[in-house]
Amino acid sequence: MSVLAARELGWRDLGLADYLPVWHAMQSLTDHRDAHTPDELWQVQHPPVFTQGLNGKPEHLLAPGDIPVIPIDRGGQVTYHGPGQIVLYPLLDLRRAKLGVRDLVTVMEAAVIATLASYGITAVARADAPGVYVEGAKVASLGLRVRRGCSYHGLALNVNMDLAPFQRINPCGYADMAVTRMHDLGIDDPLEVIAARLRGNLADRLGYTAAPEPIADRLPEPSLSDV
């Protein structure tokens, strides 16, 4: 494990990882952290999966087919994760950071908007539907859970993924919502280059600098032992 500077935000690159063990590890870290546990970002890509939030309605699952559907403990409705999408999970002590849930949502949206702006793409947030949009099409989804004053789950930015599975659902509970990806907006940088910009923008808005190297390339062992 690297030694972090005082205001560096550590991050873990989990690579391509199944959804369930990552979710369980986030829950475990949240349940076992204390006032001295550092905040972290977890970066991951997931194999194809639909996740259904606590408020999820079955009618928004139109035709999931062979893609698994996992009911989870974040807010919101159904969304899709797949390879070619950057998923960032902020594991933060919100009480220590003096952030509310709405504050964190705004910070995540602003980080995505700034990342797109660095490529000359104008993106916006919507008050009625959390996420980030380019000309009305959703390019990033957001969903959070806060427990014991700490956050998990996070944001998903579509970079160069297969968008077809979004047609099997009403994304985030909105029928006929258009979905886009950075590749279709003319951005062909490698995923890791985009991820580094996104991590930096998110860390900056949280009052940190992003650590230059990941803490580890796997899930933390203490979390896995509790799953």
Side-chain angles (χ1 to χ4, degrees):
M1 180 179 293
S2 63
V3 177
L4 297 177
R7 290 305 294 172
E8 279 189 347
L9 182 61
W11 60 283
R12 299 178 188 272
D13 185 356
L14 306 182
L16 181 67
D18 288 338
Y19 190 88
L20 275 174
V22 175
W23 171 35
H24 290 157
M26 288 192 291
Q27 290 176 312
S28 181
L29 184 146
T30 301
D31 287 343
H32 290 85
R33 66 182 298 162
D34 60 28
H36 305 290
T37 303
D39 292 334
E40 295 182 4
L41 294 179
W42 291 4
Q43 178 183 316
V44 66
Q45 297 180 69
H46 291 303
V49 63
F50 295 116
T51 63
Q52 180 79 294
L54 289 169
N55 302 318
K57 297 179 180 179
E59 58 263 35
H60 295 309
L61 285 161
L62 305 178
D66 58 349
I67 298 176
V69 179
I70 301 178
I72 60 170
D73 60 349
R74 61 162 170 77
Q77 299 283 336
V78 63
T79 194
Y80 171 71
H81 297 303
Q85 181 187 63
I86 299 169
V87 181
L88 281 187
Y89 294 131
L91 285 298
L92 308 175
D93 185 331
L94 298 183
R95 289 179 295 197
R96 185 171 62 200
K98 296 181 173 58
L99 285 174
V101 176
R102 181 65 246 181
D103 297 326
L104 180 54
V105 169
T106 299
V107 163
M108 291 193 297
E109 290 171 336
V112 174
I113 290 169
T115 301
L116 291 166
S118 71
Y119 289 103
I121 304 297
T122 299
V124 298
R126 281 175 48 177
D128 63 323
V132 176
Y133 301 81
V134 177
E135 296 183 352
K138 194 166 197 173
V139 70
S141 301
L142 278 70
L144 286 173
R145 176 67 187 267
V146 175
R147 193 154 76 191
R148 303 177 64 241
C150 300
S151 67
Y152 58 104
H153 297 297
L155 68 88
L157 174 61
N158 303 336
V159 176
N160 192 11
M161 66 189 301
D162 179 9
L163 297 180
F166 284 103
Q167 298 175 13
R168 303 190 193 185
I169 61 173
N170 290 330
C172 303
Y174 289 85
D176 301 320
M177 175 175 281
V179 178
T180 191
R181 57 185 181 171
M182 293 183 70
H183 177 75
D184 292 340
L185 300 173
I187 309 304
D188 291 318
D189 270 5
L191 185 142
E192 182 46 49
V193 171
I194 298 170
R197 291 195 187 198
L198 182 58
R199 290 193 309 268
N201 283 320
L202 183 55
D204 181 65
R205 283 157 179 78
L206 291 169
Y208 288 101
T209 57
E213 301 293 335
I215 297 170
D217 59 359
R218 55 186 173 81
L219 295 174
E221 292 296 339
S223 296
L224 280 180
S225 68
D226 292 324
V227 171

